[in-house]
Amino acid sequence: MNKLEKKTVVITGASGGLGKEIAVQSAKAGANVVLIARNSSKLAEVKAEIEEKAAVRVLAYSCDVSVSDEMANIFADLKNQGLRMDVLVNNAGFGLFEDVVDITLPESKRMLDVNVYGVIASTKMAVPYMIAQGGGHIINIASQAGKIATPKSSVYAATKHAVLGFSSALRLEMEEYGIR
């Protein structure tokens, strides 16, 4: 039996790129998927594509991961529907690649809000459900920029370095709960 069959995979940043591909492949493996992203029209397209290819449950929620109230509403809805949260994939993020002297503070804050706070907030909301169900998996998508910085990536690299640090500590904190 496939390890993802009949599991629920929650994916942020699911409207395109890596997030979309993770959603499609998870569904092909038999997982129900929960798609979260800001762009509702792209989300609808991804949802329709998955439903056409796989006989799984697909839920789509349009929201900004940096707005904790929006994320809390989604997680509450999933709980109210009785869905497990077997896997959380924190994939939402973006990068602006400019020298630090050129990037604005609001742009920097926006990257931090989405790339770091969004990961922390969604993880914080998923962990109680995973503890209650006896385990789960959390996958935080970072970047090589979190390990090896390049010019014009100072703020982006900082956000991805933060995700790596958070993930390393989280792994140790969640071990006792069977959350990987």
Side-chain angles (χ1 to χ4, degrees):
M1 183 162 114
N2 189 307
K3 290 181 181 181
L4 286 179
E5 193 169 342
K6 300 191 190 300
K7 302 286 186 184
T8 299
V9 179
V10 178
I11 307 148
T12 67
S15 63
L18 185 59
K20 175 186 173 183
E21 190 60 28
I22 290 169
V24 168
Q25 294 304 317
S26 295
K28 282 183 180 178
N32 298 310
V33 292
V34 177
L35 313 171
I36 301 171
R38 287 179 300 163
N39 189 318
S40 57
S41 61
K42 284 185 179 179
L43 264 179
E45 290 173 15
V46 174
K47 182 179 189 291
E49 179 182 332
I50 292 171
E51 289 173 333
E52 185 179 300
K53 293 179 180 179
V56 298
R57 186 171 183 190
V58 184
L59 299 173
Y61 295 91
S62 177
C63 113
D64 183 332
V65 297
S66 70
V67 180
S68 57
D69 288 346
E70 290 181 16
M71 289 298 290
N73 290 338
I74 292 170
F75 281 86
D77 189 53
L78 297 176
K79 184 177 182 183
N80 290 338
Q81 291 189 48
L83 286 175
R84 288 179 54 91
M85 281 185 224
D86 298 295
V87 181
L88 169 64
V89 181
N90 284 310
N91 173 68
F94 76 99
L96 297 173
F97 299 96
E98 299 179 35
D99 289 331
V100 74
V101 299
D102 297 323
I103 196 166
T104 68
L105 287 175
E107 290 169 333
S108 298
K109 184 177 182 320
R110 181 74 184 136
M111 253 195 295
L112 283 162
D113 287 347
V114 171
N115 296 1
V116 180
Y117 182 73
V119 169
I120 294 169
S122 60
T123 299
K124 175 102 173 107
M125 292 173 199
V127 162
Y129 298 123
M130 290 182 175
I131 289 172
Q133 69 194 20
H137 291 80
I138 299 171
I139 300 167
N140 296 328
I141 305 297
S143 168
Q144 276 300 106
K147 293 183 175 195
I148 303 169
T150 58
K152 297 188 178 289
S153 73
S154 54
V155 176
Y156 178 76
T159 68
K160 295 307 180 175
H161 187 76
V163 169
L164 292 175
F166 175 73
S167 300
S168 293
L170 181 68
R171 176 181 52 81
L172 300 171
E173 292 174 13
M174 295 296 107
E175 188 174 27
E176 71 180 281
Y177 303 109
I179 300 171
R180 293 176 173 37

